[in-house]
């Protein structure tokens, strides 16, 4: 079955700097890759997603890139702010149902003031 | 529009007991999925319900079960609790659960088994 690996598990960056989180997946049939942000005491919230027919997608300070040949995708956050501190999860999906997605292990991002 | 709500938010049980968790999806959403989140295993899919029927199931033992009511509200039940069942249980809803449809998560129920 699908397996998603996520790195690093923890990341600390200076406020204003960029943060990059990387994920790899095993099943070449996967073609939908959402990213979730989970704040303390809350459930995961979708922040951006990418489909396999595009290589990059951007939404303000957040961007995601996808390399299908290498089977990896990355989340880029620029000009980081204190409110970006949270746990981020990547995920991969290829099933017909929205619920059949495999999550990465998560990255705890801390923004240093 | 109100988000996904889960009750209770916190629960303490002892081994061998059973527990029922409740999830109310966003109004109009008919697909409800359940996930278990633990530090060791991460986020794992339990099952999905749509129109009162279980449509998908993850790799969990039969002690984990669920149901969905006609108003799309869902409950999950864990019988004969084990220490390893301690986790954050998350519920997510989407319109009809179609491929690539956004799922909206609730805040979760934190279960501690002693």
């Amino acid at each position: 079955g699908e397996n998603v690996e996520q790195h690093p598990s923890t990341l600390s960056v200076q406020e204003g700097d960029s943060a990059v989180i990387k994920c790899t997946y095993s099943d070449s049939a996967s073609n939908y890759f959402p990213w979730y942000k989970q704040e303390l005491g809350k459930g995961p919230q979708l922040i951006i997603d990418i489909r396999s027919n595009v290589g990059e997608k951007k939404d303000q300070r957040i961007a995601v890139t996808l390399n299908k040949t290498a089977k990896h995708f990355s989340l880029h956050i620029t000009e980081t702010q204190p409110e970006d501190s949270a746990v981020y999860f990547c995920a991969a999906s290829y099933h017909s149902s929205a619920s059949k997605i495999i999550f990465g292990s998560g990255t705890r991002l801390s923004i240093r003031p | 529009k109100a988000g996904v709500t889960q009750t209770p938010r916190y629960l303490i049980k002892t081994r061998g007991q059973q527990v029922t968790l409740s999830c109310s999806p966003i109004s109009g959403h008919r697909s409800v999925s359940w996930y278990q989140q633990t530090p060791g295993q991460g986020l794992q899919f339990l099952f999905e319900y749509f129109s009162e029927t279980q449509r998908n199931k993850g790799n969990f033992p039969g002690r984990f079960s669920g149901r969905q009511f006609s108003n799309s509200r869902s409950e999950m039940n864990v019988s004969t609790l084990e220490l390893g069942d301690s986790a954050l249980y998350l519920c997510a809803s989407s319109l009809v659960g179609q491929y690539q449809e956004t799922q909206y998560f609730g805040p979760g129920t934190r279960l501690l088994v002693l």
Side-chain angles (χ1 to χ4, degrees), chain B residues 63-88:
Chain B
R63 301 185 297 107
F64 292 82
S65 63
R67 59 178 176 168
Q68 186 180 36
F69 302 95
S70 58
N71 61 358
S72 294
R73 190 177 70 86
S74 177
E75 289 181 347
M76 68 162 280
N77 183 275
V78 188
S79 62
T80 320
L81 283 166
E82 301 177 359
L83 295 179
D85 296 334
S86 294
L88 180 68

Side-chain angles (χ1 to χ4, degrees), chain B residues 33-71:
Chain B
S33 299
W34 288 89
Y35 294 84
Q36 182 194 65
Q37 185 175 26
T38 60
Q41 299 298 318
L43 270 158
Q44 293 186 289
F45 170 71
L46 280 156
F47 30 64
E48 181 214 1
Y49 285 87
F50 177 77
S51 291
E52 302 178 64
T53 302
Q54 189 181 88
R55 189 160 62 174
N56 288 294
K57 190 177 188 305
N59 297 321
F60 278 81
R63 301 185 297 107
F64 292 82
S65 63
R67 59 178 176 168
Q68 186 180 36
F69 302 95
S70 58
N71 61 358

Side-chain angles (χ1 to χ4, degrees), chain A residues 31 38 43 51 95-96 98-99, chain B residues 33 35 37 97-100 103:
Chain A
N31 51 15
Q38 187 173 23
R51 290 161 175 77
H95 287 280
S96 59
S99 62
Chain B
S33 299
Y35 294 84
Q37 185 175 26
Q98 281 185 346
Y99 178 56
Q100 300 185 0
Q103 289 192 84

Side-chain angles (χ1 to χ4, degrees), chain A residues 57-69:
Chain A
K57 184 176 177 180
K58 194 172 181 179
D59 183 4
Q60 298 182 353
R61 297 186 297 109
I62 294 174
V64 58
T65 58
L66 171 65
N67 183 326
K68 284 220 77 180
T69 303

